Amino acid sequence: MSDIRVPSGKVALSTASVYPERTPDAFELAARLGYDGVEIMVGQDPVSQDVEVLQRLRDHYQIPILAVHAPCLLVTQRVWGRDPWMKLRRAREAAERLGAQTVVVHPPFRWQRDYAREFEKGLARMREETDVVFAVENMFPLRARGNEVVPYAPDWNPIDYDFPDVTLDLSHTAVSGTDAMEMATKLGDRLAHLHLADGVGTTNKDEHLVPGRGSQPCAPILERLAGNGYQGLVVLEINTRKATSRSERIEDLTEALAFARLHFAASSTAS
């Protein structure tokens, strides 16, 4: 007979998924819809930067904070100061105080020369100081007039570097034209964190579609992780800013969670 085996990994909602609604709304919707927790995207919303307010939201909605995404975007260059190492230290401290297991970090921008030069060694030193996991995210190159520009150093792709823990983002594999299943295979146990979203591979456009609405192998990757007993997080990081109403946004978030629950399970045959 066939049994369904569900891994112990949790399915969380990124607070970025409710934009232009705000961080408190993400807590409310995650609790209402049945997510296992949230990932805090630290950004320009002051609430996302304030650990004490986040603690109160966590306790009020009884929804755990499972990960913290450090402020690594161009639009968050001034959040928590300009020093990239200080940003990571503050993200780690926030994760420790909030009970989160993971800090998501992007590779450095090329113009952050000193930071990029020390990135691998610096992360290794920080890992020795905490139980929090630093999971380096795959990004993507930009293309213009037939040329490829890589705005990250040492690279947009963390596979060939000495990062023990990696975040695999399936919207980013769509933009880069990467074989997501091959990347997951090469990462093996280093795949510690999954940003679940979809994309069709539009040039230079990071789409973050609801999983199942694009060309990425969202279902096969979830099923593979389930079969391997994956214990990391699956985080829905989707773009709902074009939703015409709150009810439409809720429908997207509900569909995304249902997709993850359906496929983040593995069948096994038992006699």
Short mmCIF file of all heavy atoms in Angstrom, two decimals, residues 140 161 181:
data_model
loop_
_atom_site.label_atom_id
_atom_site.label_comp_id
_atom_site.label_asym_id
_atom_site.label_seq_id
_atom_site.Cartn_x
_atom_site.Cartn_y
_atom_site.Cartn_z
N PHE A 140 20.91 36.37 -9.84
CA PHE A 140 20.83 36.21 -11.29
C PHE A 140 21.61 37.33 -11.96
O PHE A 140 21.76 38.43 -11.41
CB PHE A 140 19.37 36.24 -11.76
CG PHE A 140 18.56 37.38 -11.20
CD1 PHE A 140 18.55 38.63 -11.81
CD2 PHE A 140 17.81 37.21 -10.03
CE1 PHE A 140 17.82 39.68 -11.29
CE2 PHE A 140 17.08 38.26 -9.50
CZ PHE A 140 17.08 39.50 -10.13
N TYR A 161 31.02 27.93 -4.35
CA TYR A 161 31.73 28.61 -3.27
C TYR A 161 31.50 27.88 -1.94
O TYR A 161 30.61 27.05 -1.82
CB TYR A 161 31.30 30.08 -3.21
CG TYR A 161 31.69 30.81 -4.47
CD1 TYR A 161 30.84 30.84 -5.58
CD2 TYR A 161 32.95 31.40 -4.58
CE1 TYR A 161 31.23 31.47 -6.75
CE2 TYR A 161 33.34 32.03 -5.76
CZ TYR A 161 32.48 32.05 -6.84
OH TYR A 161 32.86 32.66 -8.00
N MET A 181 16.31 22.01 -10.93
CA MET A 181 16.47 20.65 -10.42
C MET A 181 17.95 20.27 -10.35
O MET A 181 18.40 19.65 -9.38
CB MET A 181 15.71 19.66 -11.30
CG MET A 181 14.21 19.75 -11.17
SD MET A 181 13.58 19.27 -9.54
CE MET A 181 13.78 17.50 -9.61
#
